[in-house]
Amino acid sequence: MIEIDQVSKWYGSTQVLAECSTRVAKGEVVVICGPSGSGKSTLIKLVNGLESFQSGRITVDGVFVDAPETDLPKLRSRVGMVFQNFELFPHLSVRDNLTLAQIKVLGRSKKEARERGLSLLERVGLQAYAKQYPSQLSGGQQQRVAIARALCMDPICMLFDEPTSALDPEMVNEVLDVMIELAREGMTMMCVTHEMGFAREVADRVIFIDQGVIVEDCHRDDFFGDVAARSERAQQFLSSILSH
Amino acid sequence: MNLDVITDHLDYFLVGAYPHGPLGGAALTLILSVLSALVSGVLGFILGIALAVTRGFAQTSLLLVLSFFRAIPVIMLIFWTYFMLPIVFGINVPGIATVVIALSLIGGAYLAHSVYAGIRSLRQGQWQAAAALGLRPWQVLRYVILPQALPIMTPSFINQWVALIKDTSLAYVIGVGELSFVATQVSNREMVYPTEIFLFVALLYYAICSTLEFFANRVARRYQQAT
């Protein structure tokens, strides 16, 4: 589904990603972790072309992300993305947040879009909030709406960029629950997250990035189970986030 | 205080020589203001968006042009368009058009920066989230960025338009008979009532400007409530 092949990226003269390669098969859930500034968010934003890269190639469902002939907006409409800061549109009600792209991008009728929006809102447990504005919702609720907004487009895969990092601790689980359910239903997912409980529960593979290099890319049982076989950096990272 | 000088010439202050001659006075000031406000608004809007979506050479050139129009005095631009254009291009620009063009160019240059700043004030994440949904760049602007940026820009637009109303008084230098021009005429004719006349003129400007401010704020407030 997603193939990342020898991808490098520079900001000016600083290299932020160095020859990263990995692939995500259909239905697979991959968790990407690593220290802050390691390039993990950048990597995930390359997949739907929100950031550019200088060398290597990325394909999503066979489409080259950086090819000039690629219709990037069309590709993006098939790839769902959830952001750290939710990024709901504050001037639109929850319902209109869900229907905007369905109507303008997919060409669905207003009625069809609203029905689809409402059914997904129900799925994330927020059907009562359709007429509210994002600012009236808690962080956890906003992120659940953001997930519903992405799902409205019937994506072939989902990208999550630290979806719980901006949340108060008591709201993390409501978002993770939605993500776990999604993973169990067979959605192809790439998740940048530090929630190792989530990784243990549903991830097929765990990728560990440090300083722009993919250091580990292995099955979750190997990643968490066989700690001694992991690189020194990965061990340090794991002990620092699992010690509490 | 002799208020007779005001009442005797009231028609002339308000509409100039109209209907026996050309429209002038406060009515002409209003027309100049409305036209310049509209053109400068459209210009500022388009140029501001252009600033936000261009990079590199195109943006730098645009910034240079804008800084030029922000740096020259209105009165100079009025002189220029009025006296230079006929010489250089052989076309005769009527006085009223000259004033509207000059005020619109300068107002537009200022407003472009306000529009640009309003657009820039939104988080990068809003652009990314909208793009990630598959919206095309102009759709991102139209449905996500501008509806949020416009309320932020309103105070700048009101400020600029109020300044512009007052700047229409500079039209007198090329003999356009707007409010300040007719006031000077009456004052020169009557000789001894400048206090009364210019106090009245000041009140008229104040009334026009505060009316604009009142309605603009109401529109802005309604718009903000709707969001």
Side-chain angles (χ1 to χ4, degrees):
Chain A
M1 175 74 69
I2 300 168
E3 294 187 23
I4 299 172
D5 186 24
Q6 298 281 313
V7 166
S8 299
K9 177 177 175 66
W10 285 266
Y11 284 124
S13 59
T14 12
Q15 187 162 18
V16 286
L17 290 174
E19 305 197 339
C20 295
S21 298
T22 191
R23 50 201 303 167
V24 182
K26 191 167 187 304
E28 209 175 12
V29 175
V30 173
V31 161
I32 303 168
C33 59
S36 70
S38 59
K40 52 195 192 302
S41 284
T42 308
L43 180 67
I44 205 169
K45 282 180 178 168
L46 298 186
V47 174
N48 65 349
L50 286 182
E51 301 249 9
S52 60
F53 51 95
Q54 281 75 35
S55 74
R57 63 170 36 162
I58 298 178
T59 60
V60 177
D61 195 29
V63 180
F64 288 96
V65 173
D66 67 327
E69 67 272 17
T70 297
D71 184 354
L72 212 46
K74 190 166 179 207
L75 177 67
R76 285 172 181 152
S77 72
R78 302 171 62 212
V79 178
M81 182 146 195
V82 174
F83 295 83
Q84 182 176 1
N85 294 311
F86 332 129
E87 302 301 348
L88 294 178
F89 307 134
H91 61 297
L92 298 177
S93 67
V94 166
R95 185 180 67 187
D96 293 344
N97 263 279
L98 296 176
T99 57
L100 177 68
Q102 289 190 69
I103 295 169
K104 303 297 173 194
V105 177
L106 301 181
R108 287 180 183 159
S109 72
K110 207 171 196 173
K111 184 166 168 284
E112 202 184 348
R114 283 186 178 174
E115 279 168 8
R116 182 86 183 113
L118 215 57
S119 75
L120 279 161
L121 214 48
E122 205 174 324
R123 180 171 163 178
V124 298
L126 294 170
Q127 62 275 33
Y129 294 85
K131 297 233 166 93
Q132 310 261 20
Y133 282 87
S135 59
Q136 297 168 294
L137 272 56
S138 73
Q141 290 170 332
Q142 289 191 48
Q143 194 60 300
R144 280 145 70 197
V145 171
I147 295 174
R149 178 174 72 178
L151 291 176
C152 279
M153 305 295 285
D154 301 320
I156 54 171
C157 60
M158 288 282 289
L159 309 173
F160 291 85
D161 183 14
E162 305 207 33
T164 56
S165 302
L167 294 175
D168 291 333
E170 76 268 24
M171 292 173 183
V172 168
N173 280 333
E174 59 185 85
V175 171
L176 287 181
D177 286 344
V178 172
M179 290 171 63
I180 290 170
E181 200 190 315
L182 205 56
R184 295 217 165 113
E185 283 169 15
M187 176 62 81
T188 309
M189 293 163 64
M190 267 182 105
C191 314
V192 173
T193 182
H194 288 160
E195 296 296 332
M196 289 301 127
F198 170 79
R200 275 206 175 106
E201 199 159 340
V202 293
D204 296 297
R205 279 186 9 250
V206 179
I207 291 173
F208 174 75
I209 300 190
D210 188 31
Q211 296 178 342
V213 178
I214 294 185
V215 181
E216 303 282 352
D217 184 349
C218 56
H219 192 270
R220 59 129 187 250
D221 293 339
D222 295 333
F223 191 76
F224 295 111
D226 194 4
V227 175
R230 304 278 69 84
S231 67
E232 195 184 330
R233 269 310 276 127
Q235 286 188 34
Q236 277 174 9
F237 177 74
L238 275 172
S239 69
S240 72
I241 61 169
L242 294 176
S243 60
H244 301 293
Chain B
M1 278 291 196
N2 179 355
L3 293 181
D4 288 345
V5 69
I6 306 295
T7 46
D8 287 350
H9 296 93
L10 192 58
D11 283 355
Y12 196 63
F13 281 121
L14 294 182
V15 294
Y18 190 81
H20 310 292
L23 187 70
L28 187 60
T29 293
L30 268 180
I31 289 174
L32 288 174
S33 305
V34 170
L35 285 178
S36 322
L38 283 177
V39 181
S40 70
V42 172
L43 219 57
F45 203 66
I46 293 171
L47 293 175
I49 292 173
L51 270 185
V53 298
T54 49
R55 299 273 175 283
F57 180 73
Q59 194 187 40
T60 313
S61 337
L62 195 53
L63 279 170
L64 266 174
V65 175
L66 292 181
S67 70
F68 172 76
F69 281 110
R70 288 210 301 179
I72 56 172
V74 185
I75 201 163
M76 228 188 86
L77 192 59
I78 292 176
F79 267 133
W80 247 26
T81 9
Y82 194 63
F83 295 112
M84 293 278 288
L85 283 190
I87 296 169
V88 178
F89 295 107
I91 46 166
N92 221 342
V93 188
I96 293 177
T98 305
V99 176
V100 172
I101 290 171
L103 290 178
S104 301
L105 283 174
I106 288 174
Y110 275 98
L111 285 175
H113 279 276
S114 309
V115 171
Y116 179 47
I119 291 175
R120 282 282 299 264
S121 70
L122 298 180
R123 269 205 310 256
Q124 193 62 26
Q126 288 283 304
W127 291 84
Q128 293 195 341
L133 285 165
L135 292 167
R136 296 188 180 275
W138 67 268
Q139 289 178 315
V140 176
L141 264 176
R142 163 79 182 75
Y143 299 111
V144 176
I145 302 301
L146 289 179
Q148 295 184 63
L150 275 177
I152 301 173
M153 303 167 193
T154 335
S156 312
F157 269 79
I158 297 175
N159 270 344
Q160 192 52 43
W161 283 339
V162 166
L164 193 145
I165 291 172
K166 295 182 292 180
D167 282 347
T168 57
S169 61
L170 294 172
Y172 89 94
V173 295
I174 53 167
V176 172
E178 46 65 63
L179 182 54
S180 312
F181 185 84
V182 298
T184 316
Q185 277 185 323
V186 174
S187 180
N188 289 346
R189 197 182 319 149
E190 300 287 338
M191 310 253 265
V192 289
Y193 304 112
T195 315
E196 289 87 343
I197 289 170
F198 287 106
L199 193 63
F200 176 66
V201 168
L203 279 174
L204 275 181
Y205 275 111
Y206 179 72
I208 295 174
C209 291
S210 27
T211 313
L212 166 78
E213 220 177 310
F214 176 76
F215 283 109
N217 277 327
R218 261 180 52 154
V219 171
R221 208 169 304 134
R222 181 175 306 171
Y223 192 80
Q224 268 157 349
Q225 271 168 0
T227 60

